[in-house]
Amino acid sequence: MSDPASHDHFGTRCIHAGQEPDPTTRAIMTPVYMTSTYVQKSPGVFIDGYDYARSKNPTRTALEANLASLEGARHGLSFASGLAAMACVLHQLKSGDHVVLSDDVYGGSFRLIDKVFRHQGIECTRADLTDHAQARSALRPTTRLIWLETPSNPMLKVIDIAAMSRLAHGAGAILVADNTFASPYLQNPLALGADIVLHSCTKYIGGHSDVVGGALLTSNDELAERLRFTQNAVGAVPSPMDCFLLLRSTKTLHVRMQRHCENAMEVARWLSAHPRVKRVIYPGLESHPQHALAKSQMRGFGGMISVVVDGGLDASRRMLERVKHFALAESLGGVESLIEHPAIMTHASIPPEARAALGIDDGLVRLSVGIEDVRDLIKDLGHAMS
Ligand code: P1T
């Protein structure tokens, strides 16, 4: 459980929350507790819940307290991946329960509901949650969850979290917000009424493209207990080494995010003026349909940009093959810039008609703008599109 009394500023909590000098040596860094079990004094007598490492590990405990603090949550749970965290939430549902899912989400998140949980009787309606009337009409008496990503992947739709939490609660459901694209530096959905926040820690929280991880944060004690029970029963826990790497990463989250935001704004403005670009989608541009909402809901606009290049697949493929500093790869949120083709790569599991309706077409390219010198990034894109 995090210390809800901590009023330290975000950057201080990034570095210190959940972390005390090691009690045996005063080592400043939380040790990597590579242990699968703990010695008991007498059968059933052990310290502070430490009986077996699937249930609890001190490196993981420190990470969970750190992430909880960054999201302003009372409870944090960390997982082996973002999708493992999502599955833990979906395991709370029973056959016949209904989920309203925002229409634009990571392909793997859609696939988990559509290809795994649907077979267990969970029903799902995809809806454009930027349209509140559409969101309302997607509700059913059996709706238990509204699930959204904001900004969304890859169309960067910005959804009104406070409005969706009112809608969910009015329908007797809970709101889960995937905060991966914003990171806790830019947005705290729990403060806006969400019940659970999910992170793929693989992205900005990890920040160095060297860890796969996930997290759930909540201030609901009963929900936290159920999620913890499920995690222990199912078992998708992160390794102590991965927890250590994530703890090291969150120490610089605020500094990295600031530069991601600055660089992305500059790249988005530059792309907007490029003759071979049909459309730039970035919440920080005034042309973004939810720019005003992004300004009020977020503390900055993030490092992700989607762009439609003129000339369809030939043009996008040419650009993706010619970049040098932007690496052609799935994933996002690392210090290094990445670029990818959602229709072929990250969103291939979304049915083609749904992709077309969203605008995920052959000309759409997604950029994760890193923290390199932005002049080199712009030069790279300029060369790739020349
Ligand atoms: O990869 P994993 O840590 O399991 O996280 C899944 C996930 C959840 N939520 C969002 C918003 C995501 O973007 C992802 C993973 N996304 C990619 C791999 C990608 O390139 O978009």
Side-chain angles (χ1 to χ4, degrees):
M1 200 181 272
S2 74
D3 174 11
S6 171
H7 296 297
D8 286 338
H9 290 96
F10 188 86
T12 306
R13 284 183 280 132
C14 280
I15 294 169
H16 296 291
Q19 293 157 86
E20 296 292 337
D22 175 48
T24 51
T25 63
R26 307 291 292 160
I28 190 164
M29 295 303 298
T30 304
V32 187
Y33 284 89
M34 295 298 257
T35 188
S36 59
T37 193
Y38 309 90
V39 180
Q40 306 195 8
K41 275 195 169 38
S42 174
V45 180
F46 45 85
I47 298 167
D48 202 17
Y50 292 108
D51 61 342
Y52 184 62
R54 173 166 25 76
S55 316
K56 211 169 165 187
N57 174 284
T59 319
R60 173 149 55 109
T61 303
L63 173 65
E64 291 176 340
N66 181 259
L67 296 178
S69 171
L70 300 187
E71 283 292 5
R74 284 169 53 74
H75 307 279
L77 290 84
S78 62
F79 290 81
S81 71
L83 288 183
M86 183 175 186
C88 185
V89 176
L90 296 172
H91 275 307
Q92 307 309 310
L93 304 178
K94 60 182 189 327
S95 177
D97 285 349
H98 175 246
V99 178
V100 174
L101 176 68
S102 57
D103 59 358
D104 183 39
V105 293
Y106 168 54
S109 303
F110 171 75
R111 183 179 58 198
L112 180 59
I113 293 188
D114 188 52
K115 294 278 190 286
V116 179
F117 281 90
R118 194 186 286 282
H119 296 309
Q120 296 173 20
I122 307 302
E123 293 171 3
C124 174
T125 305
R126 295 171 61 251
D128 179 356
L129 301 185
T130 64
D131 175 346
H132 295 185
Q134 199 181 125
R136 246 190 316 277
S137 64
L139 293 170
R140 296 183 195 167
T142 52
T143 303
R144 298 284 172 262
L145 269 185
I146 298 183
W147 190 290
L148 59 81
E149 278 179 17
T150 181
S152 66
N153 183 0
M155 300 309 285
L156 301 168
K157 290 184 187 185
V158 178
I159 299 168
D160 187 333
I161 297 170
M164 286 305 112
S165 80
R166 285 193 295 273
L167 192 70
H169 297 156
I174 63 166
L175 179 69
V176 186
D178 183 333
N179 203 25
T180 298
F181 269 37
S183 89
Y185 177 75
L186 296 179
Q187 173 174 279
N188 298 120
L190 297 180
L192 299 168
D195 300 280
I196 302 175
V197 168
L198 177 142
H199 281 284
S200 165
C201 298
T202 318
K203 316 300 188 240
Y204 288 105
I205 287 179
H208 296 75
S209 306
D210 54 5
V211 186
V212 173
L216 297 175
L217 299 314
T218 182
S219 290
N220 180 322
D221 298 347
E222 192 239 316
L223 208 46
E225 204 176 308
R226 283 202 279 135
L227 292 167
R228 227 177 258 294
F229 171 85
T230 303
Q231 177 178 42
N232 189 47
V234 175
V237 296
S239 78
M241 189 64 205
D242 286 349
C243 294
F244 174 84
L245 287 171
L246 290 173
L247 270 174
R248 191 173 66 163
S249 296
T250 57
K251 289 183 190 294
T252 56
L253 179 65
H254 52 308
V255 183
R256 286 186 281 112
M257 287 310 297
Q258 192 180 350
R259 181 63 68 86
H260 280 296
C261 293
E262 286 166 13
N263 280 2
M265 182 58 102
E266 219 170 305
V267 170
R269 289 215 174 99
W270 179 84
L271 285 167
S272 301
H274 196 284
R276 297 214 167 137
V277 168
K278 283 213 297 216
R279 184 179 169 208
V280 181
I281 309 167
Y282 182 64
L285 295 178
E286 286 183 358
S287 58
H288 188 283
Q290 295 95 34
H291 176 62
L293 174 62
K295 256 179 30 190
S296 64
Q297 182 167 275
M298 302 171 71
R299 292 181 284 270
F301 304 108
M304 299 301 296
I305 303 173
S306 287
V307 55
V308 182
V309 295
D310 203 8
L313 187 57
D314 287 347
S316 58
R317 196 194 297 277
R318 184 169 181 276
M319 174 185 181
L320 292 164
E321 286 174 355
R322 282 165 58 102
V323 278
K324 192 161 58 82
H325 292 309
F326 279 86
L328 174 57
E330 304 207 6
S331 203
L332 58 114
V335 291
E336 61 290 295
S337 293
L338 301 182
I339 194 163
E340 66 111 10
H341 192 276
I344 296 176
M345 297 167 67
T346 51
H347 290 71
S349 47
I350 308 274
E353 347 46 271
R355 277 206 309 263
L358 286 168
I360 306 175
D361 58 29
D362 287 344
L364 187 81
V365 169
R366 191 189 74 181
L367 286 77
S368 171
V369 180
I371 64 170
E372 300 94 336
D373 190 308
V374 73
R375 291 169 297 188
D376 295 323
L377 298 180
I378 287 174
K379 196 166 141 199
D380 193 28
L381 293 172
H383 171 257
M385 289 197 292
S386 63

